[in-house]
Amino acid sequence: GGASGPQRFWPLVLCGTLNFNGRKGPMEGTHSAEYCVVTDLLRDRLGEVRDLLYDVVGSHPVTYADTRLAASGELPVERVLTNSSVYDSPSLKRQCLDYMFFFPQRQDQDGHRAGGSRGSEPEAVVPATCQVERFLVDRTKDVGAPVTQLSDHYGVEATLADRDVFSRRSGTAGQRGGGRGDA
């Protein structure tokens, strides 16, 4: 028997606001039940999946309806773009709704990766960094700006590395390249 439907062999990145909360609670960044259902579905359909932000941070960071603690209690970080009623509900504030999922290059039944390389060789594209980008407004430069950040969600920023470029630069890829500027 074989799998039905199209097969994916190349690496894949799925990112953006996916509108399910990965956090178990406002103050608990472990996997929610909803997150587990979604990642199980992705794994079943697309193969191995890595949550790049979770891998780096070690928990699901807040990307929507963030708060901070002050002497007067918990206060919204952003008050213009986010509906104020969100902060009244523990299930709506301090959510992780934004993700960067990475699906590594898949192998065929003979252990070959797309392009014919053996599965034991390093992957061509690998995640290098991932972090939350808050897109804060600098009020010293934008005096009178009505907002403190550019969106009601924080962004997720990642860098992917092309291992083939590194091997060419170090000269380990035969005659395909050599020194600096070879990318």
Side-chain angles (χ1 to χ4, degrees), residues 142-159:
D142 296 312
V143 177
V147 295
T148 56
Q149 58 196 53
L150 298 178
S151 174
D152 60 338
H153 290 250
Y154 297 150
V156 178
E157 174 183 45
T159 303

Side-chain angles (χ1 to χ4, degrees), residues 36 107 114 120:
C36 292
Q107 299 177 11
S120 61

